[in-house]
Amino acid sequence: MNEIEKGQLCDITMSAIHYGCSKLDSIPAYLRRIIENRAWECRQVKMRGVVQLANLRELITKEPMEGWGENPERIEGLIKHDPEVLVLWREAMKQKSGHRTDLVNNVNEVKPSKGNSRSYTVTRLQREAPELFAQVVAGTLSANAAAIQAGFRKKPTALEMLLKAWKVAKDDDRRLFLLEINK
């Protein structure tokens, strides 16, 4: 892919993100091509010439014309239903050791994706349980169910679910619940 094609790919992806509509479904495929071709490294930008960026994070967060001026969490939300692209995304968004990830610029804050996020889960499944990851990609198993089967996430008990629901229940619902269990 030459620098003009890389520029066009980045432009169409940015347009799909910013203006949405029917193109939102195409974003995972566009991002896959951007990552696989490392389109941020050298691309032609209209009225700007050739732009070279160090990594995908710069493409996402730098202001237009150099980048997209977007929050990485928003982009991750647009690709969350494609586990393969999520894995590519996490790898491409990694920072060098010792690089601060809490400040991207004076507008966007980036929280590292870990713990129980979908992107972390599918990346860990790909690494530690490839057979379960394949089922997630095929759509026959959810990422959460696969993580439970793999043993790195536990299924909540009925008591844990009740306590969680109690914390968010409104006073009226709590009163009705107490009346119901005391019958």
Side-chain angles (χ1 to χ4, degrees), residues 76-87 89-90 113-126 133 135-147 152-153:
E76 188 172 316
L78 294 171
I79 62 170
K80 69 183 176 187
H81 298 295
D82 189 324
E84 291 177 312
V85 175
L86 274 174
V87 170
W89 165 265
R90 280 184 54 86
S113 183
K114 59 183 178 184
N116 62 357
S117 72
R118 180 171 167 78
S119 63
Y120 174 81
T121 301
V122 295
T123 301
R124 188 168 175 191
L125 284 167
Q126 184 196 37
F133 175 74
Q135 291 180 43
V136 172
V137 170
T140 59
L141 192 62
S142 73
N144 184 56
F152 55 81
R153 185 175 292 167

Side-chain angles (χ1 to χ4, degrees), residues 4-172:
I4 294 172
E5 292 168 326
K6 288 178 181 179
Q8 291 170 338
L9 177 59
C10 289
D11 286 347
I12 196 168
T13 305
M14 184 175 73
S15 292
I17 291 165
H18 287 213
Y19 306 112
C21 301
S22 62
K23 293 183 180 181
L24 285 176
D25 291 344
S26 305
I27 291 172
Y30 292 154
L31 269 173
R32 174 190 295 271
R33 289 189 60 210
I34 287 170
I35 293 168
E36 289 173 346
N37 290 286
R38 301 180 64 84
W40 60 85
E41 289 181 342
C42 187
R43 70 186 202 287
Q44 183 75 35
V45 176
K46 294 176 193 165
M47 300 183 304
R48 178 86 179 184
V50 174
V51 173
Q52 297 176 324
L53 299 173
N55 54 48
L56 179 61
R57 186 174 301 279
E58 284 189 7
L59 175 65
I60 303 294
T61 59
K62 281 198 175 229
E63 293 301 315
M65 300 300 272
E66 283 188 83
W68 298 345
E70 277 294 335
N71 182 331
E73 289 177 355
R74 178 168 183 249
I75 305 300
E76 188 172 316
L78 294 171
I79 62 170
K80 69 183 176 187
H81 298 295
D82 189 324
E84 291 177 312
V85 175
L86 274 174
V87 170
L88 292 172
W89 165 265
R90 280 184 54 86
E91 187 61 35
M93 292 297 284
K94 280 185 182 174
Q95 298 277 329
K96 293 179 185 171
S97 181
H99 190 280
R100 285 189 68 178
T101 58
D102 58 336
L103 298 174
V104 174
N105 59 33
N106 65 348
V107 177
N108 296 328
E109 283 189 25
V110 177
K111 298 172 196 146
S113 183
K114 59 183 178 184
N116 62 357
S117 72
R118 180 171 167 78
S119 63
Y120 174 81
T121 301
V122 295
T123 301
R124 188 168 175 191
L125 284 167
Q126 184 196 37
R127 184 177 62 242
E128 296 179 21
E131 67 289 344
L132 293 173
F133 175 74
Q135 291 180 43
V136 172
V137 170
T140 59
L141 192 62
S142 73
N144 184 56
I148 290 168
Q149 282 186 29
F152 55 81
R153 185 175 292 167
K154 69 180 186 100
K155 186 173 182 175
T157 65
L159 176 61
E160 289 169 333
M161 290 189 293
L162 281 169
L163 291 171
K164 185 176 181 179
W166 185 264
K167 287 179 183 176
V168 296
K170 296 185 173 156
D171 289 339
D172 290 342

